[in-house]
Amino acid sequence: MEHGWGHGSSSASTAIELICTLLYASVLIGYTLMGRLSSQHYKSWPLYRYICWYAGCTCSVVVIIGPFAAAAHSDFRIHMIGHLLLGMLGPLLIVLSAPATLLLRSLPISQARRLSRVLRSRYAALICHPVVAAILNTGGLWLLYTTPLYTWMHQYTAVNLLVHLHIALAGYVFTISMLYVDPVAHRYSHVYRAIVAVIAAALHGMLAKYLYVHPPTGVSTGQAEAGAQWMYYGGDLVQLIIIGLFCYEWYRVTRPRQINVKTALDA
């Protein structure tokens, strides 16, 4: 399938790659500085969160620019691996890096309060509702692969960028609606989130099976079958990780508190 960065404009492609590279370097440096500076006033920021941030951002940027991104335009198998990196694994790693928590403890008190108000706003509550987040995430994928949108994203630069942006943001919002790593103003029960997660996973698997039989326009049968398998099994793997973290969170919240026997007897 032909891909047109602005209908073959190499200058547009170069500009996009430069902007993405600068943005990638900026967020890595910015996160590192915030972690180091905030550690001077609060508890030291954990090393694993730095690693999660670096890895999550890298998963996202390689899908948009570079050799991997170029190969994805003509190979549906690579494209689907990119979907897993950009829309599932990358968002999961970024969520585990707790960026909102780090930002809140790095900002001056007045600005941190403003950010808290934004996180508590009705808009944030709507977007981060588990059902809405699942619709934006999984529903967006159904729209991409069952309509001409998949063809358009390989023909027009603006559509391509918007699709990638939506996949990344929708994946992030869905993950934060499932895992409460950062502060969450509007919380939902573990049972409720578990039901939504199961339905979303089922719809994701159904889409993979659909693509196995009904390839998008311009995708060969062989590539569609291989890409669908990547989507199905790769998606299951990431979802299993999320489920494991979700269950661990559930256990921590509901586990019985240990009682100090000596204190109880003294009372």
Side-chain angles (χ1 to χ4, degrees), residues 28-225:
L28 293 189
I29 295 172
Y31 186 94
T32 303
L33 291 176
M34 286 194 299
R36 294 303 181 99
L37 293 175
S38 64
S39 295
Q40 297 177 3
H41 306 285
Y42 302 96
K43 183 180 178 180
S44 180
W45 194 244
L47 176 61
Y48 79 90
R49 295 209 188 274
Y50 289 103
I51 296 174
C52 286
W53 178 258
Y54 301 151
C57 292
T58 301
C59 285
S60 301
V61 76
V62 298
V63 179
I64 302 173
I65 61 174
F68 184 95
H73 300 318
S74 57
D75 192 324
F76 188 70
R77 296 165 297 184
I78 304 300
H79 166 87
M80 196 54 70
I81 295 173
H83 152 66
L84 295 173
L85 293 175
L86 183 67
M88 300 188 74
L89 183 58
L92 172 59
L93 291 168
I94 291 175
V95 167
L96 294 178
S97 72
T101 300
L102 179 58
L103 188 57
L104 283 170
R105 78 178 206 163
S106 301
L107 291 172
I109 294 178
S110 59
Q111 295 181 18
R113 287 174 177 170
R114 294 193 189 98
L115 178 58
S116 296
R117 286 196 292 269
V118 172
L119 296 176
R120 295 195 304 267
S121 66
R122 292 182 179 179
Y123 176 77
L126 174 64
I127 295 299
C128 295
H129 188 286
V131 174
V132 175
I135 292 174
L136 291 173
N137 188 38
T138 309
L141 293 177
W142 275 89
L143 182 66
L144 171 62
Y145 294 118
T146 61
T147 69
L149 186 59
Y150 178 77
T151 301
W152 296 342
M153 74 172 287
H154 290 83
Q155 294 176 342
Y156 305 104
T157 302
V159 176
N160 186 279
L161 292 176
L162 288 174
V163 167
H164 280 90
L165 181 62
H166 172 83
I167 290 175
L169 293 178
Y172 175 76
V173 169
F174 177 72
T175 307
I176 64 174
S177 73
M178 293 293 109
L179 300 176
Y180 293 161
V181 178
D182 278 321
V184 178
H186 309 277
R187 292 176 173 265
Y188 297 88
S189 71
H190 287 87
V191 173
Y192 185 83
R193 284 181 283 153
I195 293 173
V196 175
V198 169
I199 295 174
L203 291 173
H204 190 270
M206 289 171 58
L207 177 58
K209 294 179 180 179
Y210 176 87
L211 293 176
Y212 189 92
V213 180
H214 305 282
T217 303
V219 178
S220 67
T221 301
Q223 287 195 10
E225 292 177 352

Side-chain angles (χ1 to χ4, degrees), residues 7-39:
H7 296 289
S9 173
S10 59
S11 60
S13 175
T14 302
I16 290 171
E17 292 202 2
L18 177 60
I19 293 173
C20 290
T21 301
L22 292 175
L23 181 60
Y24 171 68
S26 298
V27 295
L28 293 189
I29 295 172
Y31 186 94
T32 303
L33 291 176
M34 286 194 299
R36 294 303 181 99
L37 293 175
S38 64
S39 295

